[in-house]
Amino acid sequence: MYIVQHIFLAACVFISCVFSLYWQGIRKKQIFILSAISGLVCGLTICLQQDIQYNILISMVFIVLYLSVVLFQPEVSWMDVVAADTLACAGFGAFQTGIIVLLEIKEISSTFRVVLAVFYLLVICVFFKMSASYFPGKQWKEYLSEDASILDIKIDSQRAFCGLMILYSVCCAIPAVTGTFSVAVLGSEFGCFWAGLFLLNLIIINQKKTVTLDSERQSRENMQMYMSVIRSQRHDYNFHVQTLQGLLQKKAYTECEKYVKELLCDSVEMNNILPLEDAAISALILSFKNRAKTKGIFMEISVENSLSNVATNVYETNKIIGNLLQNALDETEQLKDKSYGIRLNILKRGEYCVINVSNKTQSDNPLEAYQPGKSTKNGHEGIGIASVRAILERCGGVLYAKKEENIVFFIAKIPIVLTEREYQ
């Protein structure tokens, strides 16, 4: 029976690792290879000739270390590692508890106990298949990027969610680690594991809907802003026509020529954003330009890329541009010399679209002030730049900054997604 227990131990490790990695949307081939290796290694604990309880503990430690090592890659976040470790440990604890309980029922024959254990694993696989449609996939972290506020207490959504996962894992693993085996424990473990997993998935689904609603709301606000700018331009157009007509009637040609030149300069500035394909992005930039103008700050805009094929959606792109422009506007507003103003350049460099925002700074080390959790502005905690960085990391982009004399540049590089026609 000792050998049988270790065969089931290896099977439980394999299934729990498959479960954990599949939850995060990792490729199936990679899932089965990594899970098979972990199951094989943990099955070899039979060579230790120790009590099965000791080998369960060794296997759980191995799962944590093994998944942490194989997932430790630049494109894998700490949240992925925590999720993989906690879900694998929770699954292994719940599955192994059931196996031990069934194999230790002395009232029935050993053969029937083995059959029950196999049936138990089959039931787990069926539940796994049924619940797989609720699994969030590889993009699950993006729905937890925003902080929340509960009872006026600011909560870091990512860390709070990972804390819940760790607590869930510990609760599911306690019976297996402590050797608390009974039919009642088996029922509790089975129910708690699936119920807890379902609740974790519900949290992500709810967050996804919240992000989607926020995106739609932001798009509507941007479109309303854009229409407001259009109506304002129409009003200004009528005013300009009336002014030019009056100057021509008075035959004030010199004043008329001067007025036309100023009008042309304003028209050129407006035309600078025409390459942008999405009206919501244009509206956001125009709103910042108008806000800067009311504060006596000149904003120069140069657009050489339409942002139509970047890896971020419109909501995320606006979030990147908006945060960078907001920081530039806040810092420039504090300066006595506003002659440099704010400069926004959107261009293409290789496989990236580059968004470059620059402004004059009075800080000796402005880059340090924009580290996560730090800010030079009252009431801010560097969340804006951290949010931009999180968006770019998810899509394979990068955010960095540099300083030349008293000018600071914040540069966001967003990968360009080629269409099938462009690829060919």
Side-chain angles (χ1 to χ4, degrees):
M1 189 58 69
Y2 182 76
I3 296 176
V4 172
Q5 287 179 331
H6 276 78
I7 292 174
F8 279 110
L9 183 147
C12 289
V13 171
F14 173 79
I15 294 174
S16 60
C17 286
V18 169
F19 198 96
S20 170
L21 298 174
Y22 192 84
W23 190 87
Q24 300 181 85
I26 296 177
R27 290 180 302 174
K28 291 183 179 180
K29 184 178 180 180
Q30 186 179 5
I31 288 174
F32 284 103
I33 292 175
L34 294 176
S35 301
I37 293 174
S38 63
L40 179 63
V41 173
C42 290
L44 293 177
T45 54
I46 190 174
C47 300
L48 297 176
Q49 294 298 320
Q50 297 286 342
D51 182 73
I52 185 65
Q53 196 61 44
Y54 175 81
N55 292 340
I56 288 175
L57 181 60
I58 292 295
S59 297
M60 195 165 291
V61 172
F62 172 79
I63 290 173
V64 173
L65 296 177
Y66 174 72
L67 291 179
S68 299
V69 171
V70 298
L71 292 176
F72 188 73
Q73 300 174 16
E75 65 272 15
V76 177
S77 71
W78 63 272
M79 287 186 68
D80 285 309
V81 176
V82 171
D85 287 339
T86 54
L87 287 176
C89 287
F92 177 68
F95 306 157
Q96 189 62 35
T97 298
I99 294 296
I100 296 297
V101 169
L102 293 174
L103 292 179
E104 290 186 353
I105 300 177
K106 305 298 184 182
E107 290 78 10
I108 57 178
S109 66
S110 58
T111 303
F112 191 62
R113 279 181 272 167
V114 172
V115 171
L116 284 178
V118 172
F119 179 75
Y120 175 71
L121 291 182
L122 290 176
V123 170
I124 290 172
C125 293
V126 170
F127 270 81
F128 168 67
K129 185 68 175 179
M130 292 171 59
S131 61
S133 59
Y134 293 97
F135 291 1
K138 65 176 69 174
Q139 302 298 329
W140 68 279
K141 300 175 295 300
E142 69 180 72
Y143 309 123
L144 301 166
S145 60
E146 299 290 344
D147 291 341
S149 181
I150 301 176
L151 299 177
D152 296 329
I153 301 174
K154 199 164 190 180
I155 303 295
D156 186 317
S157 296
Q158 292 185 347
R159 287 179 170 80
F161 186 78
C162 285
L164 288 175
M165 295 188 75
I166 292 173
L167 180 62
Y168 164 69
S169 173
V170 170
C171 292
C172 290
I174 283 177
V177 173
T178 59
T180 309
F181 304 122
S182 68
V183 176
V185 170
L186 170 59
S188 300
E189 275 284 271
F190 193 82
C192 290
F193 175 77
W194 293 105
L197 182 68
F198 184 72
L199 289 175
L200 290 175
N201 288 331
L202 279 182
I203 291 174
I204 295 178
I205 292 171
N206 179 67
Q207 286 294 106
K208 181 179 180 180
K209 290 181 178 179
T210 301
V211 170
T212 302
L213 290 174
D214 287 343
S215 177
E216 292 176 354
R217 177 185 55 79
Q218 184 67 44
S219 297
R220 286 196 299 270
E221 290 179 355
N222 288 337
M223 288 304 300
Q224 291 173 357
M225 191 187 308
Y226 187 70
M227 293 306 299
S228 176
V229 172
I230 294 298
R231 284 192 292 268
S232 175
Q233 287 179 340
R234 181 180 178 183
H235 176 271
D236 292 345
Y237 172 79
N238 293 332
F239 173 77
H240 294 320
V241 170
Q242 293 172 4
T243 303
L244 289 172
Q245 183 184 19
L247 291 173
L248 289 174
Q249 286 178 347
K250 294 180 180 180
K251 297 184 179 181
Y253 300 122
T254 303
E255 289 81 0
C256 184
E257 182 180 4
K258 181 180 179 182
Y259 193 87
V260 169
K261 286 182 178 179
E262 292 178 355
L263 185 60
L264 181 61
C265 290
D266 187 61
S267 177
V268 168
E269 291 179 9
M270 296 300 298
N271 289 338
N272 283 338
I273 65 169
L274 286 180
L276 292 172
E277 185 172 279
D278 199 287
I281 300 176
S282 301
L284 180 75
I285 295 175
L286 285 176
S287 69
F288 270 100
K289 182 177 176 63
N290 291 336
R291 286 169 56 188
K293 188 175 181 180
T294 60
K295 299 175 184 294
I297 301 172
F298 172 71
M299 181 172 164
E300 181 181 298
I301 303 169
S302 174
V303 179
E304 301 176 16
N305 185 273
S306 65
L307 293 173
S308 60
N309 55 350
V310 291
T312 51
N313 58 39
V314 176
Y315 172 74
E316 292 172 329
T317 305
N318 263 357
K319 200 167 185 180
I320 294 170
I321 296 175
N323 275 300
L324 295 181
L325 288 178
Q326 185 63 58
N327 284 331
L329 185 61
D330 289 339
E331 186 162 12
T332 304
E333 192 177 2
Q334 300 174 8
L335 301 176
K336 293 182 179 179
D337 180 13
K338 299 180 175 63
S339 58
Y340 183 87
I342 300 171
R343 301 182 185 180
L344 168 65
N345 297 299
I346 301 175
L347 58 153
K348 179 182 178 183
R349 287 292 181 269
E351 299 178 354
Y352 292 90
C353 172
V354 179
I355 300 173
N356 187 342
V357 176
S358 62
N359 59 275
K360 185 178 289 188
T361 179
Q362 59 185 358
S363 173
D364 294 330
N365 190 6
L367 310 186
E368 179 67 21
Y370 289 106
Q371 298 298 319
K374 298 181 180 180
S375 178
T376 57
K377 293 173 283 185
N378 293 329
H380 292 254
E381 297 179 0
I383 295 174
I385 291 297
S387 177
V388 171
R389 213 175 252 124
I391 292 173
L392 292 170
E393 286 177 356
R394 287 197 301 269
C395 69
V398 64
L399 174 70
Y400 63 95
K402 63 180 181 179
K403 184 183 177 187
E404 296 179 1
E405 296 182 353
N406 62 343
I407 307 298
V408 62
F409 299 82
F410 279 91
I411 301 159
K413 297 177 69 175
I414 309 175
I416 293 175
V417 179
L418 297 178
T419 63
E420 185 176 351
R421 180 179 298 176
E422 291 171 327
Y423 181 77
Q424 292 174 346

